[in-house]
Amino acid sequence: EMKKKMRTPEEKEQIVKRFLDGEPVVKLANEMETDRRVIYDWINKYREEGKKAREYLEKREIDIDTIKRFNLDMFPEVFG
């Protein structure tokens, strides 16, 4: 029975990055003394959060562009 260790978000992110760089999950799981499923959970969470971050940034880009266009139309002397 493996003793469950708490990992910091930084440790988890480091492991995910190593996986993305090509290191095998088996190697990472052994090194972290944890189950492979735990590593896969971290990978999936990292991907999901990355997706949410991209969606948020894309939405903000649209909002910023809309505001710029509005300002340019309404106040060309200021924003032109």
Side-chain angles (χ1 to χ4, degrees):
E1 178 82 26
M2 283 188 251
K3 188 176 179 323
K4 194 170 172 139
K5 291 182 182 171
M6 291 302 293
R7 302 294 180 182
T8 66
E10 291 78 17
E11 283 177 305
K12 293 176 184 180
E13 188 174 347
Q14 208 51 44
I15 290 297
V16 171
K17 285 183 175 166
R18 287 173 57 191
F19 164 78
L20 295 173
D21 285 341
E23 288 192 52
V25 169
V26 173
K27 176 179 181 252
L28 298 169
N30 288 340
E31 189 179 307
M32 296 301 279
E33 298 176 350
T34 191
D35 195 273
R36 281 178 296 185
R37 285 171 298 194
V38 172
I39 305 289
Y40 282 117
D41 284 345
W42 297 350
I43 292 162
N44 291 331
K45 189 171 191 299
Y46 183 86
R47 285 183 170 148
E48 184 55 38
E49 288 183 3
K51 187 169 160 256
K52 282 186 201 153
R54 279 193 306 278
E55 285 168 359
Y56 173 76
L57 290 173
E58 284 166 7
K59 184 179 181 311
R60 283 194 48 89
E61 283 299 314
I62 291 165
D63 293 347
I64 290 165
D65 287 344
T66 304
I67 291 165
K68 283 180 186 166
R69 273 199 306 276
F70 172 79
N71 285 338
L72 190 57
D73 291 345
M74 295 299 291
F75 314 103
E77 67 284 354
V78 178
F79 295 99

